[in-house]
Amino acid sequence: QQDNAPLMTALAKLIAVNMPDLVLFVGEALVGNEAVDQLVKFNQALADHSMSDKPRLIDGIVLTKFDTIDDKVGAAISMTYITGQPIVFVGTGQTYNDLRSLNARAVVGSLMKP
């Protein structure tokens, strides 16, 4: 939905009016580098549709379906590198109890597999 200008304008206004403690991008880890593109477009849309001189951008990332990504784990690293924001939670199931903190060792281990 990051390409939907009216929606992003409304979201930027919602953020400006309500001043939330955190603005989190939620994306599917399963789509790999497409998630990186979605994140970049989302952050840019927040900046473009903000009516403030200092637009509020994302503060962190939540990646769903993280338990299914195996070789696409590099996209998660790209997301943090490009935005400078952390992956706050990863989803490994269908309920709130399935939200986990990112296990950096497991990500590095997955990247280093031959």
Side-chain angles (χ1 to χ4, degrees):
Q1 298 295 330
Q2 65 277 359
D3 293 325
N4 183 328
L7 180 65
M8 292 307 298
T9 300
L11 183 58
K13 181 178 179 182
L14 182 71
I15 291 169
V17 169
N18 292 295
M19 296 183 295
D21 293 332
L22 286 174
V23 176
L24 299 174
F25 172 83
V26 179
E28 281 189 17
L30 186 61
V31 297
N33 285 326
E34 177 64 25
V36 177
D37 293 337
Q38 290 172 359
L39 174 59
V40 169
K41 286 181 180 179
F42 182 82
N43 226 13
Q44 187 61 51
L46 282 181
D48 291 347
H49 297 286
S50 175
M51 296 174 203
S52 170
D53 291 336
K54 189 177 179 193
R56 178 78 183 271
L57 304 178
I58 67 158
D59 299 307
I61 302 162
V62 176
L63 287 177
T64 63
K65 300 182 182 177
F66 199 77
D67 54 329
T68 62
I69 62 169
D70 55 313
D71 62 336
K72 296 179 183 169
V73 72
I77 292 173
S78 295
M79 294 173 88
T80 60
Y81 178 77
I82 288 169
T83 62
Q85 300 302 333
I87 296 174
V88 180
F89 294 110
V90 294
T92 60
Q94 300 297 318
T95 69
Y96 289 121
N97 292 332
D98 297 320
L99 289 173
R100 305 275 187 257
S101 296
L102 180 68
N103 182 337
R105 284 182 190 248
V107 171
V108 171
S110 178
L111 286 171
M112 302 305 280
K113 284 182 185 175

